[in-house]
Amino acid sequence: FVPISQSVIGDTCCIKAITGKAPVGVKINKGLTIFKTTATDGNDTIKLTFFNNKFAAMSIEEGQEYYFYGKINFRSSGN
């Protein structure tokens, strides 16, 4: 796994992080719901988005440590 600060936009990577709040679902059209939350590795925070996967999103508990695997699509300085 890599620290959040060393993740590269466009790369697929694994990040070990502790979740913030439980994911919140938002229906964006008839057949698609996205679930969003945040996680931290102790130094940086990352926004996580789960597309149309209620089971995975609802399996995540607040304050627990997980390994997240996926593509880094956007990096924001600040928030």
Side-chain angles (χ1 to χ4, degrees):
F1 63 91
V2 298
I4 293 169
S5 63
Q6 293 179 18
S7 61
V8 178
I9 295 172
D11 281 1
T12 299
C13 63
C14 182
I15 294 172
K16 181 179 174 183
I18 297 171
T19 55
K21 296 182 180 182
V24 175
V26 177
K27 195 168 209 146
I28 59 172
N29 65 32
K30 290 182 183 179
L32 182 61
T33 302
I34 57 173
F35 299 86
K36 293 186 176 192
T37 190
T38 59
T40 181
D41 63 5
N43 294 314
D44 296 294
T45 301
I46 191 167
K47 294 177 183 179
L48 304 171
T49 304
F50 300 87
F51 295 91
N52 235 23
N53 196 337
K54 183 178 182 177
F55 176 78
M58 295 300 108
S59 297
I60 294 174
E61 297 178 20
E62 181 177 342
Q64 297 299 307
E65 185 174 74
Y66 297 93
Y67 290 90
F68 297 100
Y69 181 82
K71 186 174 183 178
I72 305 296
N73 288 322
F74 179 75
R75 181 183 306 275
S76 168
S77 57
N79 292 341

